Amino acid sequence: MAPVIRIALLTLAAMTLSVNIFCQPKTAGVSFSYAGIGLTYEHLTSPSTSVMLQIRADSVTDFGPKITEPCYAMSAVWNMISGELISRNGNVIRFMNGPGLTMGVSNDFMAARGPFAGLAWRFAGECSFSRGIAISISVAPMLGVHLSRVDDYITMGLFRNGLLYGVMPEVGIKYIFGR
């Protein structure tokens, strides 16, 4: 196939995808939990699924009141809508769950600061108001591994904070674009 034809086909595919992505509803907002705060972007990929991207700054460690240097995490979750209730005035309540990936740098329970990665499962309830605002509450336990340095050695263990802080509720406030 000639390079010009390949470039034309790739350009056509990119234009088609960008129009589809631009026209689909999306939300952007913030989330708050005991463990920290985050920025969230969610993109509706079909009437029953969405992809959520989140960047978090965690600020607590080991269930204590002391604040350490912030720990950072990124996650991507594929949400599947499992139930939906629509009120007469246009408000929508959705129940979602889905798998995801999380990675970042954090302290772990009884371990030093280091990178972590794991699989998460998110359970959420969300109320979308007719004015374009959505409020959600969710939990996202994560099963993963954590690397930390002890003396001159690197140790790998279960990321316990992913399970401990993952079951603590997170409240989100988002604005809905493209309705």
Side-chain angles (χ1 to χ4, degrees):
M1 188 181 303
V4 173
I5 295 174
R6 273 191 243 161
I7 292 171
L9 288 174
L10 287 173
T11 304
L12 182 64
M15 288 171 46
T16 304
L17 288 174
S18 66
V19 169
N20 286 340
I21 289 172
F22 181 72
C23 294
Q24 294 169 334
K26 47 200 137 310
T27 64
V30 294
S31 59
F32 307 93
S33 72
Y34 172 77
I37 60 172
L39 297 174
T40 303
Y41 172 80
E42 191 169 359
H43 190 90
L44 193 66
T45 55
S46 75
S48 63
T49 61
S50 66
V51 174
M52 186 183 84
L53 304 172
Q54 186 177 47
I55 299 172
R56 294 187 49 79
D58 295 338
S59 59
V60 296
T61 181
D62 299 343
F63 286 107
K66 62 184 178 181
I67 296 178
T68 63
E69 61 183 285
C71 301
Y72 305 98
M74 306 181 293
S75 62
V77 177
W78 183 52
N79 287 319
M80 298 169 282
I81 298 171
S82 54
E84 188 173 80
L85 303 167
I86 302 172
S87 69
R88 292 182 187 168
N89 58 0
N91 300 336
V92 179
I93 297 175
R94 287 188 186 91
F95 301 99
M96 302 172 280
N97 64 54
L101 299 172
T102 302
M103 66 176 68
V105 176
S106 179
N107 298 323
D108 195 13
F109 187 76
M110 306 292 278
R113 183 179 173 93
F116 70 90
L119 300 172
W121 196 276
R122 182 173 183 259
F123 301 94
E126 178 180 275
C127 182
S128 301
F129 298 100
S130 58
R131 301 270 186 206
I133 300 292
I135 297 175
S136 64
I137 186 164
S138 64
V139 294
M142 184 192 76
L143 185 61
V145 295
H146 180 262
L147 299 175
S148 62
R149 180 179 292 271
V150 176
D151 297 324
D152 290 336
Y153 301 101
I154 295 177
T155 62
M156 181 171 73
L158 177 68
F159 184 52
R160 293 182 211 86
N161 281 358
L163 296 171
L164 297 174
Y165 293 127
V167 296
M168 293 182 183
E170 177 180 84
V171 176
I173 300 170
K174 300 181 269 188
Y175 182 76
I176 303 168
F177 298 93
R179 268 191 143 174

